[in-house]
């Protein structure tokens, strides 16, 4: 069967995580504590996580759940793309950096005052070197993502693509990342607007 298949996903919303393989109950902790706690459960081997801004932590953690136990070594680093979007760009970190200027501007925060830094952190963590893009949109545009990702897989060197929405402002966060491959893995569904909608809104 030929086509593009959605082979894994992760939804993080209201401090609750749902993936294609498991789910975790909602937490009442502050977002920063929640993310650090989930890191200690599923990653542990990447201390750089603690230095990231919240947007990057959300993206890297969600990617860890999306990839899960999948063996992606079948792809060359240049064959894995990353396509993300959000509404608030890097505003959450921009505001924190602005506050730091009152005392002494924080270089650690300044590094994250571009929204596409999250794509860089994801690629560094996973060793991916394919195409990547970050879009600013009012809402998660399912039709746009479906078309853009399918075009990458059908016309270029891309064999797999991590895509989706990762947004945060203060304690409010909305994340939905998913993996699209040409491989029809067990439990996969067609990469379509309808299937994205069902997973994002469940």
């Amino acid at each position: 069967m030929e086509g593009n298949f959605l082979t894994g996903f992760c939804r993080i919303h209201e401090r609750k995580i749902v993936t294609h393989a498991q789910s975790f109950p909602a937490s009442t902790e502050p977002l920063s504590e929640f993310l650090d706690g989930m890191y200690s459960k599923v990653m542990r081997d990447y201390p750089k996580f603690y230095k990231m801004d919240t947007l990057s932590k959300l993206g890297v953690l969600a990617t860890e759940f999306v990839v899960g136990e999948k063996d992606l070594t079948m792809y060359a680093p240049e064959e894995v793309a990353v396509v993300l979007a959000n509404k608030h760009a890097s505003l959450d970190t921009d505001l924190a950096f602005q506050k730091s200027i009152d005392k002494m501007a924080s270089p650690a925060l300044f590094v994250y005052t571009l929204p596409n830094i999250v794509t860089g952190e994801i690629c560094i963590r996973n060793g991916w070197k394919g195409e990547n893009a970050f879009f600013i949109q009012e809402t998660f545009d399912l039709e746009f993502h479906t078309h853009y990702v399918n075009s990458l897989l059908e016309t270029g060197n891309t064999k797999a693509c991590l895509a989706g929405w990762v947004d945060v402002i203060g304690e409010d966060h909305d994340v939905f990342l998913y993996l699209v491959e040409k491989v029809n893995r067990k439990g996969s569904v067609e990469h379509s607007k309808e299937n994205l909608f069902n997973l994002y809104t469940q």
Side-chain angles (χ1 to χ4, degrees):
M1 183 177 179
E2 295 184 357
N4 300 321
F5 301 95
L6 197 159
T7 61
F9 76 92
C10 177
R11 179 87 162 98
I12 305 177
H13 185 58
E14 296 180 347
R15 299 176 192 82
K16 181 179 180 180
I17 297 178
V18 177
T19 80
H20 55 283
Q22 58 188 321
S23 64
F24 297 84
S27 169
T28 58
E29 299 174 297
L31 181 58
S32 60
E33 294 180 18
F34 168 69
L35 293 175
D36 288 351
M38 291 307 303
Y39 161 83
S40 67
K41 291 181 181 179
V42 301
M43 293 178 69
R44 301 179 186 171
D45 62 341
Y46 202 62
K48 185 183 180 183
F49 182 88
Y50 290 112
K51 298 179 181 181
M52 297 178 190
D53 72 336
T54 306
L55 186 67
S56 293
K57 284 183 176 181
L58 284 163
V60 168
L61 184 64
T63 302
E64 204 75 8
F65 281 111
V66 172
V67 173
E69 301 299 319
K70 295 181 184 65
D71 181 9
L72 299 184
T73 58
M74 60 194 293
Y75 304 118
E78 295 79 14
E79 294 176 333
V80 183
V82 179
V83 177
L84 304 179
N86 76 8
K87 177 179 179 178
H88 292 99
S90 57
L91 182 59
D92 187 68
T93 302
D94 296 345
L95 293 172
F97 178 71
Q98 182 63 39
K99 286 184 180 179
S100 78
I101 293 177
D102 295 338
K103 297 180 180 179
M104 183 170 63
S106 169
L109 286 174
F110 180 73
V111 170
Y112 292 98
T113 55
L114 287 172
N116 64 336
I117 298 301
V118 61
T119 64
E121 292 288 14
I122 289 170
C123 288
I124 291 170
R125 163 67 174 166
N126 293 279
W128 298 335
K129 299 179 181 179
E131 294 192 40
N132 67 75
F134 197 103
F135 299 95
I136 309 302
Q137 302 171 333
E138 187 65 25
T139 60
F140 182 26
D141 190 332
L142 302 172
E143 184 170 357
F144 170 83
H145 274 261
T146 304
H147 176 74
Y148 192 95
V149 172
N150 283 341
S151 294
L152 280 180
L153 288 162
E154 291 162 7
T155 62
N157 188 47
T158 300
K159 300 290 180 62
C161 182
L162 178 82
W165 182 262
V166 53
D167 194 37
V168 62
I169 187 75
E171 290 292 305
D172 294 331
H173 54 285
D174 187 18
V175 179
F176 177 72
L177 298 190
Y178 61 97
L179 183 67
V180 181
E181 304 176 78
K182 290 184 175 294
V183 176
N184 188 5
R185 299 177 186 267
K186 183 179 179 179
S188 300
V189 296
E190 178 189 1
H191 179 231
S192 67
K193 176 182 175 181
E194 292 74 23
N195 284 331
L196 285 180
F197 176 81
N198 290 337
L199 292 173
Y200 178 62
T201 59
Q202 67 178 2

